[in-house]
C-alpha cells in the first residue's frame, strides 16, 4: 500500500470516529449500539466500551474510562495524533507516519510482542464479558 492511500484510510477512520463520538454525545447511550458481535451474540467484543471510555476521558472521568475499556486511551491517542502527524507529513513532503506504522507492524510480528498483546486483548475481552457490557 502506498502512503497516500494509507493516509486517506487513516483520516477516513479518524473522521468516522469523530462523527461516531459526536453522535454518542447527543444520542441516548442506551439506544445506540454499533458492535455487530454484541448485537448478534449478546456477548461483548474486546473493544466494547471503547466509545464510552473515550467520552469519559473527555469529561475528565479517567477511572471511569478505565472501567469502560482501557482500549479507549489507546484509541483516543491514535485518533488525536494521527491527523496532525499526517498533516505534518503532507506539509513537509515526508512519510514519517507511514514509516512509523510499518515499523510498528514489523514489531507486532515478533512473538515477544504479539503473544503478550494477544493475552492482554483476551484478558480485556474476558473482563468485558464479566462486566456485562
Amino acid at each position: 500500500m502506498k502512503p497516500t492511500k494509507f493516509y486517506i484510510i487513516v483520516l477516513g477512520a479518524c473522521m468516522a470516529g469523530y462523527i461516531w463520538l459526536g453522535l454518542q454525545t447527543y444520542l441516548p447511550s442506551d439506544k445506540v449500539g454499533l458492535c455487530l458481535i454484541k448485537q448478534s451474540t449478546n456477548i461483548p467484543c474486546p473493544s466494547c466500551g471503547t466509545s464510552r471510555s473515550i467520552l469519559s476521558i473527555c469529561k475528565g472521568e479517567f477511572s471511569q474510562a478505565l472501567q469502560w475499556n482501557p482500549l479507549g486511551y489507546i484509541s483516543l491517542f491514535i485518533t488525536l495524533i494521527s491527523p496532525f502527524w499526517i498533516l505534518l507529513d503532507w506539509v513537509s513532503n515526508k512519510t514519517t507516519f507511514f514509516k512509523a506504522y510499518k515499523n510498528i507492524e514489523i514489531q507486532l510480528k515478533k512473538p515477544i510482542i504479539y503473544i503478550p498483546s494477544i493475552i492482554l486483548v483476551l484478558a480485556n475481552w474476558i473482563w468485558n464479558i464479566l462486566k456485562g457490557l
Side-chain angles (χ1 to χ4, degrees), residues 15-100:
M15 287 304 298
Y18 294 139
I19 290 169
W20 177 247
L21 288 174
L23 288 173
Q24 289 286 310
T25 302
Y26 296 108
L27 296 175
S29 61
D30 294 343
K31 304 291 181 192
V32 181
L34 185 64
C35 182
L36 296 176
I37 293 173
K38 172 77 175 181
Q39 289 179 358
S40 61
T41 66
N42 207 24
I43 297 172
C45 75
S47 66
C48 275
T50 302
S51 298
R52 289 171 280 189
S53 175
I54 292 173
L55 291 173
S56 292
I57 293 168
C58 293
K59 294 176 186 172
E61 301 166 351
F62 302 112
S63 63
Q64 181 64 39
L66 198 60
Q67 288 291 319
W68 281 121
N69 196 325
L71 294 176
Y73 284 95
I74 297 169
S75 298
L76 180 61
F77 178 76
I78 292 170
T79 306
L80 288 176
I81 294 296
S82 298
F84 292 107
W85 196 345
I86 290 171
L87 179 64
L88 184 63
D89 272 1
W90 181 69
V91 169
S92 62
N93 201 24
K94 294 181 178 176
T95 58
T96 61
F97 183 73
F98 183 71
K99 289 176 183 172

Side-chain angles (χ1 to χ4, degrees), residues 108 110-124:
L108 285 174
K110 296 179 179 175
I112 195 164
I113 303 293
Y114 76 73
I115 290 173
S117 298
I118 289 171
I119 290 171
L120 284 173
V121 170
L122 288 174
N124 191 49

